[in-house]
Amino acid sequence: DFLNALQEIIPAFGASTDDLERCRLYGIVDCGGQHKHIYKRTMLLAEQVKVSKGSPLVACLLEGPSGSGKSAMAASVGIGSDFPYVKIISAESMIGLSESSKCAKIVKVFEDAYKSPLSIVILDDIERLLEYVAIGPRFSNLISQTLLVLLKRLPPKGKKILVIGTTSEVSFLDSIGICDAFSVTYHVPTLKTEDAKKVLQQLRVFSEEDIDAAAEALNDMPIKKIYMVIEMAAQGEQGGGAEAVFSGKEKIKISHFYDCLQDIVRY
Amino acid sequence: DFLNALQEIIPAFGASTDDLERCRLYGIVDCGGQHKHIYKRTMLLAEQVKVSKGSPLVACLLEGPSGSGKSAMAASVGIGSDFPYVKIISAESMIGLSESSKCAKIVKVFEDAYKSPLSIVILDDIERLLEYVAIGPRFSNLISQTLLVLLKRLPPKGKKILVIGTTSEVSFLDSIGICDAFSVTYHVPTLKTEDAKKVLQQLRVFSEEDIDAAAEALNDMPIKKIYMVIEMAAQGEQGGGAEAVFSGKEKIKISHFYDCLQDIVRY
Amino acid sequence: DFLNALQEIIPAFGASTDDLERCRLYGIVDCGGQHKHIYKRTMLLAEQVKVSKGSPLVACLLEGPSGSGKSAMAASVGIGSDFPYVKIISAESMIGLSESSKCAKIVKVFEDAYKSPLSIVILDDIERLLEYVAIGPRFSNLISQTLLVLLKRLPPKGKKILVIGTTSEVSFLDSIGICDAFSVTYHVPTLKTEDAKKVLQQLRVFSEEDIDAAAEALNDMPIKKIYMVIEMAAQGEQGGGAEAVFSGKEKIKISHFYDCLQDIVRY
Amino acid sequence: DFLNALQEIIPAFGASTDDLERCRLYGIVDCGGQHKHIYKRTMLLAEQVKVSKGSPLVACLLEGPSGSGKSAMAASVGIGSDFPYVKIISAESMIGLSESSKCAKIVKVFEDAYKSPLSIVILDDIERLLEYVAIGPRFSNLISQTLLVLLKRLPPKGKKILVIGTTSEVSFLDSIGICDAFSVTYHVPTLKTEDAKKVLQQLRVFSEEDIDAAAEALNDMPIKKIYMVIEMAAQGEQGGGAEAVFSGKEKIKISHFYDCLQDIVRY
Amino acid sequence: DFLNALQEIIPAFGASTDDLERCRLYGIVDCGGQHKHIYKRTMLLAEQVKVSKGSPLVACLLEGPSGSGKSAMAASVGIGSDFPYVKIISAESMIGLSESSKCAKIVKVFEDAYKSPLSIVILDDIERLLEYVAIGPRFSNLISQTLLVLLKRLPPKGKKILVIGTTSEVSFLDSIGICDAFSVTYHVPTLKTEDAKKVLQQLRVFSEEDIDAAAEALNDMPIKKIYMVIEMAAQGEQGGGAEAVFSGKEKIKISHFYDCLQDIVRY
Amino acid sequence: DFLNALQEIIPAFGASTDDLERCRLYGIVDCGGQHKHIYKRTMLLAEQVKVSKGSPLVACLLEGPSGSGKSAMAASVGIGSDFPYVKIISAESMIGLSESSKCAKIVKVFEDAYKSPLSIVILDDIERLLEYVAIGPRFSNLISQTLLVLLKRLPPKGKKILVIGTTSEVSFLDSIGICDAFSVTYHVPTLKTEDAKKVLQQLRVFSEEDIDAAAEALNDMPIKKIYMVIEMAAQGEQGGGAEAVFSGKEKIKISHFYDCLQDIVRY
Ligand SMILES: Nc1ncnc2c1ncn2[C@@H]1O[C@H](COP(=O)(O)OP(=O)(O)OP(=O)(O)O)[C@@H](O)[C@H]1O
Ligand SMILES: Nc1ncnc2c1ncn2[C@@H]1O[C@H](COP(=O)(O)OP(=O)(O)OP(=O)(O)O)[C@@H](O)[C@H]1O
Ligand SMILES: Nc1ncnc2c1ncn2[C@@H]1O[C@H](COP(=O)(O)OP(=O)(O)OP(=O)(O)O)[C@@H](O)[C@H]1O
Ligand SMILES: Nc1ncnc2c1ncn2[C@@H]1O[C@H](COP(=O)(O)OP(=O)(O)OP(=O)(O)O)[C@@H](O)[C@H]1O
Ligand SMILES: Nc1ncnc2c1ncn2[C@@H]1O[C@H](COP(=O)(O)OP(=O)(O)OP(=O)(O)O)[C@@H](O)[C@H]1O
Ligand SMILES: Nc1ncnc2c1ncn2[C@@H]1O[C@H](COP(=O)(O)OP(=O)(O)OP(=O)(O)O)[C@@H](O)[C@H]1O
Ligand SMILES: [Mg+2]
Ligand SMILES: [Mg+2]
Ligand SMILES: [Mg+2]
Ligand SMILES: [Mg+2]
Ligand SMILES: [Mg+2]
Ligand SMILES: [Mg+2]
């Protein structure tokens, strides 16, 4: 069936483009049921676009807290699909450009996509594309109008397109009507204790007796912060301990781990 | 009489312009009494413009929730009328243009219309033409002033024009005085259970025993979302099922249909 | 005496300029006592400007609901007076111009007027000249300042000028101090039942027994909407009936008339 | 003594510049004690500037309701003084100019003034110079900053300058700190019944028995509106009566006078 | 010791630059203890800059009501110090310049100062440099950012600088963080009755028996207004009396003095 | 171990770049435990960046009151690390530049950093880089968007970077989402009595019996203000005493010290 096992696909990701790969620096570990469910559903949308005659344009939004793995998920779908055109639109490649240049770049990606029979366009970190800032709030209306039109404009006859957006500011996007322009929205969550435990088991940096306490302390953290605190803790109190930990020779001291967690949660 | 049966006209639509046709991608199915009533009344306005001497300019607004079929309705009137000049003004063809270029394009369409004895101009998605965003709110006053004047300016002697506007932000348009510039306003509604049932019966994707439950679940949905959820559900849980469903070999599983509906209503 | 009968003057209007005539598309019918009173008083102001030595500049504002006949009234005074220079300044002829170009055009009309011994300048739809929109509110301060100065600046020695403004946003104009710049302000009202009846009697589109009910239903409507609803109703339910009604062969069916009234009042 | 009788000076006004004269179109009539007091005091300030060594720059503000005679008063002081340089800065001569051009013009007048040993500069209608509008409020900060600096900057050694400002928006000027930049502020009032009576006696347009009633009705009106209502009333109900009234052959009918007053006070 | 008597220094002021001298048009009279204290302390700061190795940049703010003598004080310190570079930055010399030109001028003064081993820079009337207006409030953020950086940026090695700011809008400066950029802030007050009396005694324009009453009436006035009211009163009620008063032949009539005071306090 | 004693490193600082040295004008004295703790932890982050494979980008924010020693701390880490590329981005070197030029300069530093295998970039006084002012508030969204992207963008493969930000407006940075872009945040505090005492003991400007009282009075002061008040007090009441105090010949008089403290705390 279409959704062949997630695992098999992953090694193949390496064959894909650099931009997508950079979104998954640590590779992909199992982050729990909800992450898997969203991945599966989004892959189904890609299939729908492919086989359906009535949906030449489908748009899907991945929203959730910062660092929860939305961009990695979107990149994985892009890599996992067999669509000939997969492109990520990200603010990183548009630093310092004027609003209208950004618009032009965004439009260009869509027009390129219209030339391929099947495309995936990833609008990564939409609030950043919109130059959003909470105070005011301020944002580029030029870009938001462009997105609103692009998310509704049908591709030319015979062409099909899946748009995947990611955002950590879903209520802002909602307030400017961009959420409504997506047919489907999925919430990518932080990790619960049990999910965190799974991750820690894979990483093997804690001793058996500490792993439950560590997972408990990591409850409700996004995957990104979990990696950060582990790297900090691995140094040890006086530094110099990381190699020993990651090579498996030593384990992280749980008390120092708690210390580092403090710094992360905002000292 | 003037309003010959709706059915006869529809096949003839194919002879019309591409832009109008693109507004009715799925063709036209019977969406219930209110949709039919509005179509009839708007066609009567077209006749009024044609025969009257005192109303060289009539403006009519179609408002209603996103995806309820307003643009399709306006396009159908344009195609159904026998007016020599029918033009749709849409934000899709003006992406990235400056406010003043948009204004110039809009004015140009009207001036072209003034050259024809009988014209229909469709202002599609007026809030998008105005670059409206709810926060602020912001919008182009340059364009709104232009529309306010164009909606009041009489065509030259002997020329007649029907303007049809569509919007899903009627309260905003009201707040800037644009609603008052339209003589008549019709509300294009979502589909009620009975209307949804009619649509489902035409599509034949549910088994007889599921059709009532499905229609019930679709109560108060715009036609566009009904199509979307059916396409999603037709894939089946593991993908790959769409062809079988649409060719009539299989039916949609009602439980999976409910699942998909969840995603649509905002997971 | 100066104010010779209103009726006599009207036929002579045809000799005047096109712009003024376009403001009175249906000709002028008797709209009731208040309309007549305002016309008479405004004509007296024209006389005052003509004969007085101390009032080289008089400004008079006509305000009232949209479609109540303000522009037609102002045009009628312009046509009815025997002033050598009568000019209407309207947003219709300035679509798409920049604020400063509009200013320049407005100033130009006044400077032209200063060359004539006696002039009437009509500032039609002042809120539209100001690009006013209720949200914000926004408007062109450049233009409002220009009007404030022009409405106070005395013409050169020996020249005299009557300025007539029209607006349906009198409270806005008041809030920016433009009302104070007019010496006199008249309220042009909607039609009461009795006024509406008079109009209907002149048009002869209802049977004798329906005319009172129709007039009652039209209570408190501006003249423009009365014309619109009659044109709509004259088509008949199935269309095609207008000619018969306006040639006097048939009458409007009162029940269909009520239906049409619904659409107008905002369905 | 310095303040020779007001009357003697007046005939000499005709020898002065046009701009100043245009501020006093009807000549000057006696408007009551407060007007006279302010004139006298402002003339004393001119003398102070002339003889003092410590006050090379004095600034005086005349504020009061629209039409109360502030500009006429300032012009009279300018004409009445024997200063070699008297200049009025008014928005009338700057219509349509950009903020910075207006600034440049204002600065130019001051720099010209600095070349004369004794100058009077009249800043007429300061709120208009500032392009003030109550909504917002909006105004030109460029111009307000310029005035704030000019009102404080000392002229070069040996030069002396009196600045007279007029405004009907004193509370606005206060809120932006411009009032504080004037050493002295005088309130130019409307006319009380007794003042109005004096004016009516000079004009002789009412019969003896009506004059008290008329003056009573004019209580608390600015001088400008008094002139306007008298001109209106002089026409008579049917027009054509003005000449007879002003030549003294007829008197104004008090009942018609009341009617006209209605129009003025805002119908 | 360093702070040799204030008096001796004053005559030497005449040798200094014009700009500084213009700040003290009437020369310097003794305004009471607080004024003297501030002068002494600010002179000490100049010494600190000179001798210390750790404080190459010291910034001191003089704040107080308009006309209280802040600019005169700052100029006096500049003149009284023996620093080779003393420069006043004032809005007077920047009328009509754009924000960025003003910035450039300000920066230029500092860069010039960095070339001198010891400099004093006076930022006179900071709110005016910032184009501050209370409504909004509005001000130039470009200039405020420039000041914030300049007030913190250390001069090059071996160079030392004292910055003296003056303002009558200290709470505004505080709200934009400019006060914090000054290490020390002194409040320059209005004159109390006893201070005013001292000033009046030096001027000798009142008779002995009036001087206490006059001083009492001048309680809590800034020095500038005291001078203004005395000049006004010196003219006498009919004008022409100033010379006699200042030459000592006559005294000011206390009743007329009270009258003039009224005009000053806002009539 | 990695964090060899703080003391040893300090003398070596002199070998580093001028910009970093200028942040520590007085050299470094022991300011108490919290300062030391933060320094140690930040050095550990530098080590983490160096040895880890999973954290090519780490960002750390130092926040605290003005003058508490944040910039000095960041500079010390830069000097103390052995990273080949250490650069400070400060508003001082960008006075008067446009927003986009500032952006370009900031981006340039990061792109240069990407060329080095190991870099430290110090974003000094982030609120000043953002041209922040509390009223409004106003700030450069162009620059804040640039920082948000740069703080998230991974360096090219094999390159590693530590970003250290400093700010005294942490709640503002939080409100625009910039705090979230830093993995770790440390609060750099004012000095408590005991910390102040340590500093005073090192400086030896008070007699033994005064030192406790002086330290008590300096409780909760940032290190910068402590230095300022001591310099002021060292002059003595009449000036001229600084040299004697700093050479150790005399001590500061505690009463004069209290006086000076008054001026500093806002007189
Ligand atoms: N399933 C996963 N397994 C391992 N690492 C992951 C996984 N998902 C995400 N990551 C890593 O976690 C970090 C955060 O992921 P990602 O950038 O996708 O989060 P995000 O939700 O897009 O965050 P942001 O809102 O900041 O854009 C990345 O470094 C990514 O490589
Ligand atoms: N009567 C109909 N029969 C079949 N399909 C229809 C019908 N009306 C509309 N549709 C389809 O439903 C979708 C939504 O219709 P349409 O674009 O007209 O809605 P809308 O009200 O204009 O929405 P929006 O507010 O988003 O512009 C379109 O794909 C259109 O083809
Ligand atoms: N007395 C009249 N007799 C016949 N028709 C009239 C009369 N007055 C106005 N009309 C017609 O009614 C319509 C509305 O009149 P008009 O444009 O003068 O109204 P208005 O008050 O200026 O409206 P708006 O506020 O929209 O500018 C016009 O078509 C005009 O020709
Ligand atoms: N003392 C007077 N005698 C006769 N006419 C006067 C007198 N004072 C003013 N007027 C006339 O009254 C009118 C209004 O006077 P003026 O323009 O000076 O008023 P204003 O207070 O400046 O009004 P605004 O606030 O509108 O500028 C002018 O036409 C002026 O000629
Ligand atoms: N000690 C003094 N003796 C005599 N005259 C003084 C003295 N101090 C100030 N003045 C005079 O008083 C007037 C106001 O002083 P100054 O301009 O310094 O006040 P300011 O506080 O700077 O006012 P502003 O806030 O308006 O700038 C000036 O004309 C100045 O010459
Ligand atoms: N540990 C220390 N020993 C000696 N002097 C120090 C120390 N820390 C800071 N200073 C000095 O204190 C002053 C203030 O320090 P610094 O500029 O680092 O503070 P800051 O927190 O960055 O202030 P701001 O918020 O104003 O930027 C500087 O002159 C610096 O040289
Ligand atoms: Mg992301
Ligand atoms: Mg539509
Ligand atoms: Mg009109
Ligand atoms: Mg005036
Ligand atoms: Mg000053
Ligand atoms: Mg700092």
Side-chain angles (χ1 to χ4, degrees), chain B residues 166-238:
Chain B
T166 80
T167 186
S168 49
E169 296 283 354
V170 71
S171 63
F172 162 65
L173 290 200
D174 206 28
S175 69
I176 63 169
I178 282 196
C179 286
D180 286 345
F182 287 92
S183 307
V184 196
T185 300
Y186 294 110
H187 176 72
V188 182
T190 54
L191 273 63
K192 296 292 156 202
T193 300
E194 50 187 324
D195 305 320
K197 190 173 170 190
K198 250 192 229 162
V199 170
L200 294 185
Q201 283 167 335
Q202 289 164 275
L203 297 178
R204 279 183 250 178
V205 291
F206 284 99
S207 67
E208 276 309 308
E209 60 266 29
D210 288 342
I211 207 161
D212 280 303
E216 183 72 43
L218 293 172
N219 184 32
D220 218 26
M221 279 229 160
I223 179 74
K224 188 177 184 177
K225 286 211 166 163
I226 291 177
Y227 275 89
M228 177 67 194
V229 71
I230 285 172
E231 292 247 356
M232 277 178 80
Q235 305 295 113
E237 260 164 291
Q238 301 302 326

Side-chain angles (χ1 to χ4, degrees), chain A residues 205-217:
Chain A
V205 290
F206 284 98
S207 67
E208 275 309 307
E209 60 266 28
D210 288 342
I211 208 162
D212 280 302
E216 184 72 43

Side-chain angles (χ1 to χ4, degrees), chain B residues 205-207 210 229-235 245-246 250-257:
Chain B
V205 291
F206 284 99
S207 67
D210 288 342
V229 71
I230 285 172
E231 292 247 356
M232 277 178 80
Q235 305 295 113
V245 167
F246 289 119
E250 284 185 35
K251 297 294 170 191
I252 291 172
K253 260 174 60 189
I254 189 83
S255 64
H256 182 54
F257 168 77

Side-chain angles (χ1 to χ4, degrees), chain E residues 3 5-7 10 28-44 73 77 187-189 195 198:
Chain E
L3 274 175
L6 191 51
Q7 282 80 2
I10 294 169
I28 290 293
V29 302
D30 180 351
C31 290
Q34 184 56 23
H35 277 74
K36 229 183 286 175
H37 173 76
I38 297 170
Y39 177 75
K40 197 174 142 189
R41 283 295 174 107
T42 313
M43 288 300 282
L44 271 176
M73 175 89 71
V77 172
H187 176 73
V188 181
D195 305 319
K198 251 191 228 162

Side-chain angles (χ1 to χ4, degrees), chain A residues 27-56:
Chain A
I28 291 293
V29 302
D30 179 352
C31 289
Q34 184 56 22
H35 277 75
K36 230 183 286 174
H37 173 76
I38 297 170
Y39 178 74
K40 198 173 140 189
R41 284 294 174 104
T42 314
M43 288 300 283
L44 272 175
L45 287 177
E47 192 203 350
Q48 176 180 338
V49 165
K50 199 169 165 183
V51 304
S52 143
K53 267 141 214 161
S55 322

Side-chain angles (χ1 to χ4, degrees), chain D residues 41 47 52 145 152 186, chain E residues 22 125 128 132 231 240 263:
Chain D
R41 284 294 175 107
E47 191 202 352
S52 143
Q145 295 299 323
K152 211 170 152 183
Y186 295 110
Chain E
R22 275 172 62 97
D125 235 348
R128 202 55 53 237
Y132 167 72
E231 292 249 355
D263 286 355

Side-chain angles (χ1 to χ4, degrees), chain E residues 189-200:
Chain E
T190 53
L191 274 62
K192 297 290 157 205
T193 300
E194 49 186 324
D195 305 319
K197 191 173 171 190
K198 251 191 228 162
V199 170
L200 294 185

Side-chain angles (χ1 to χ4, degrees), chain A residues 22 26 92 95 125 128 131-135 138 231-232 235 237-240 242 259 263 266-267, chain F residues 1 34 41 44 47-48 52 54-55 107 139 141 145 148 152-154 174-176 180 184-186:
Chain A
R22 276 171 61 98
Y26 305 99
E92 290 195 7
I95 288 182
D125 236 349
R128 203 54 52 239
E131 305 177 1
Y132 166 73
V133 69
I135 289 184
R138 303 195 211 165
E231 292 247 356
M232 279 178 79
Q235 306 295 114
E237 261 165 290
Q238 302 303 325
D259 267 23
D263 286 356
R266 181 81 51 93
Y267 175 73
Chain F
D1 96 21
Q34 184 56 23
R41 284 293 175 106
L44 271 176
E47 191 202 351
Q48 175 180 338
S52 144
S55 322
V107 172
F139 60 96
N141 194 25
Q145 295 299 323
L148 283 169
K152 210 170 150 181
R153 182 163 76 166
L154 297 179
D174 206 27
S175 70
I176 62 168
D180 287 344
V184 196
T185 301
Y186 295 109

